[in-house]
Amino acid sequence: MTRTGTTTAHLRRALRREVPSTVGLLADEQDFAAMRRYRTFAFDDHATYLRQVEALLRTLATQGGHTTVTLFDPEEYAAWCAETGTDPDHPTSRSHFTAHLAATGARVTYTGQPLTTLLPELVDTAVRQATWEYATTVLATAGDCAGCGRDIGTAAYERAARLLARLLEAAGPGTHHLVCSVRAADDQLLAVLHHTHGTTPPEDATGPEFTAVLAAGIALAAPGGIVLRTTTPGTPDRLHGWRLTLSTLTPLTEAEVFAAYCTDARTGEPLSPEPGVEYRAGHPLAPDPDDDWTTHH
């Protein structure tokens, strides 16, 4: 009896290591407060909830399985329950929704990192996914050009890829950190790209994400821009900038770059220049065969 029981327990533990787990996390106080309206939600304060979540994650990690964490959005949960006819005030419903998020939502693998590290990573991942979905939707629904008949989304993406390649070529030696921002409707789309001169473009999602955001700005004829920080050993970091207008990147002047970096985007108040950094004009970009974009799109 004992030997059989021990064998059974061992097999169950082995099987448990092969079953993935997903934890839906209420990241902030506002989301937590929204869930407290459900009678079956057991927690009274967010700090206690986060401590219990972290303890659960550590327990799952000791069992050797694969654990991911996803953002649990109460509004999205309520909409999902209404759409599927599910009672939102039931633990099983929350479990089913978390399983749904495991397949569709932004998620981060838990590797033992503290919540203070995991939470910002998870929020950043969610923002990146939402940005990617918005940008690709813009490109997919842009329609065809009335003049030449080309798919505008495809043409905009191809143009954005060429603009990025020309910009990286003009940036020259060093490690480059680029941020692209595009104003689309009520949203500010942001994408980040890291690139080291002399290497191939990033093979992870950052390259396509960056290109898609720039392409969305081109397709929408929306205002935007790119800022570039170049780091080279033994020299001060250099900051450059370009304005996205009429589907092309126009270099900012040195004064415009300084103003862009040294002004608080929320308040408009001036900020102190960063020490040990040079503010420079954007590099001129080589001509592109499609620089007459506005005449046929």
Side-chain angles (χ1 to χ4, degrees), residues 168-293:
L168 292 175
E169 181 180 0
T175 299
H176 307 299
H177 175 83
L178 300 91
V179 178
C180 178
S181 63
V182 169
R183 194 178 306 152
D186 296 328
D187 292 315
Q188 188 77 17
L189 303 182
L190 289 174
V192 176
L193 178 68
H194 297 276
H195 181 261
T196 300
H197 183 72
T199 65
T200 57
E203 295 181 355
D204 62 8
T206 59
E209 286 173 6
F210 192 97
T211 306
V213 167
L214 180 57
I218 292 172
L220 295 170
I226 292 178
V227 291
L228 164 70
R229 185 185 192 112
T230 296
T231 301
T232 306
T235 64
D237 283 5
R238 303 180 302 281
L239 304 179
H240 305 267
W242 293 260
R243 181 183 296 109
L244 177 63
T245 51
L246 298 177
S247 78
T248 195
L249 292 174
T250 303
L252 298 179
T253 66
E254 184 175 313
E256 288 173 325
V257 172
F258 182 88
Y261 276 98
C262 298
T263 303
D264 190 302
R266 292 173 298 175
T267 66
E269 294 295 318
L271 300 173
S272 299
E274 188 177 346
V277 168
E278 297 178 352
Y279 299 86
R280 296 186 178 182
H283 305 293
L285 303 184
D288 183 270
D290 199 27
D291 275 341
D292 60 343
W293 168 275

Side-chain angles (χ1 to χ4, degrees), residues 1-15 17:
M1 292 290 291
T2 302
R3 183 177 180 182
T4 302
T6 301
T7 301
T8 300
H10 173 74
L11 291 174
R12 286 178 180 171
R13 285 194 298 271
L15 184 60
R17 290 194 292 270

Side-chain angles (χ1 to χ4, degrees), residues 100-151:
H100 166 74
L101 292 176
T104 62
R107 54 202 176 276
V108 169
T109 300
Y110 178 71
T111 58
Q113 66 269 49
L115 281 188
T116 51
T117 300
L118 188 146
L119 271 174
E121 182 183 0
L122 183 57
V123 171
D124 179 67
T125 300
V127 170
R128 283 179 52 194
Q129 177 169 314
T131 299
W132 168 255
E133 291 174 353
Y134 187 100
T136 53
T137 298
V138 166
L139 298 178
T141 58
D144 296 333
C145 173
C148 67
R150 282 204 67 192
D151 180 85

Side-chain angles (χ1 to χ4, degrees), residues 23-38:
V23 175
L25 178 61
L26 296 162
D28 57 42
E29 292 274 7
Q30 184 176 352
D31 287 346
F32 179 84
M35 291 303 294
R36 290 197 63 201
R37 69 178 181 265
Y38 299 119

